[in-house]
Amino acid sequence: MKACLNCGEEVIGREGKKFCTTYCKSNYHYERSKQKEDSIFRAVDKQLKLNRRILKNYNRAGKATVRAEVLANHGFNSNYFTHYWKSKKGDVYLFCYEYGFISFADMKGTRKYTLIKWQSHMSTTN
């Protein structure tokens, strides 16, 4: 005797059958897909919050420059950001909530980030 994977009722029918009804089969797969979506959402949200915490920690004065490897060692991933802002000079800053960053290489080729904090004069309509 096998139990339905969705409701636990007895499954009657061919060998290898996993669900008692088509409803249970559909509901089981629907619930599993929702869990997968939640896990993706949670992973992205977790990375965004980590990025924000790292940027906040290294940008206490409102503007700072930090080597990219220092941020990466703390788990920073520049592929995750909430929005961007384009300055009048054409530079594009990526933001994790109110903390922004832009990547550049210094004269020696060392990858660095300039960190900034969102200011009232910045708007998302630029």
Side-chain angles (χ1 to χ4, degrees):
M1 176 168 66
K2 282 192 127 182
C4 176
L5 293 177
N6 186 60
C7 69
E9 295 288 321
E10 181 182 352
V11 176
I12 300 170
R14 66 173 173 78
E15 189 177 322
K17 191 173 178 183
K18 298 178 182 179
F19 305 97
C20 60
T21 65
T22 55
Y23 171 81
C24 276
K25 180 179 180 181
S26 177
N27 189 58
Y28 175 82
H29 290 294
Y30 172 73
E31 291 299 327
R32 286 194 56 184
S33 72
K34 279 187 2 182
Q35 290 173 355
K36 288 179 184 175
E37 289 175 13
D38 286 347
S39 66
I40 291 169
F41 170 79
R42 284 189 195 114
V44 171
D45 191 50
K46 183 179 177 181
Q47 185 63 54
L48 286 170
K49 288 177 180 177
L50 176 62
N51 282 357
R52 181 191 179 277
R53 192 167 44 248
I54 293 166
L55 293 171
K56 180 181 179 181
N57 186 50
Y58 281 94
N59 187 11
R60 295 176 190 231
K63 188 171 184 180
T65 302
V66 183
R67 289 190 328 268
E69 71 181 86
V70 171
L71 298 184
N73 288 340
H74 290 287
F76 182 78
N77 185 335
S78 63
N79 293 324
Y80 292 86
F81 56 92
T82 56
H83 61 288
Y84 69 91
W85 173 71
K86 189 174 183 180
S87 71
K88 291 180 182 177
K89 293 181 183 178
D91 297 329
V92 177
Y93 289 84
L94 305 177
F95 279 81
C96 290
Y97 305 103
E98 73 272 31
Y99 295 97
F101 61 95
I102 190 168
S103 178
F104 70 95
D106 67 8
M107 289 185 204
K108 296 179 183 178
T110 304
R111 180 70 43 216
K112 293 184 176 183
Y113 291 111
T114 296
L115 311 180
I116 62 172
K117 190 170 180 184
W118 187 263
Q119 303 292 314
S120 60
H121 70 275
M122 300 173 176
S123 73
T124 57
T125 58
N126 282 355

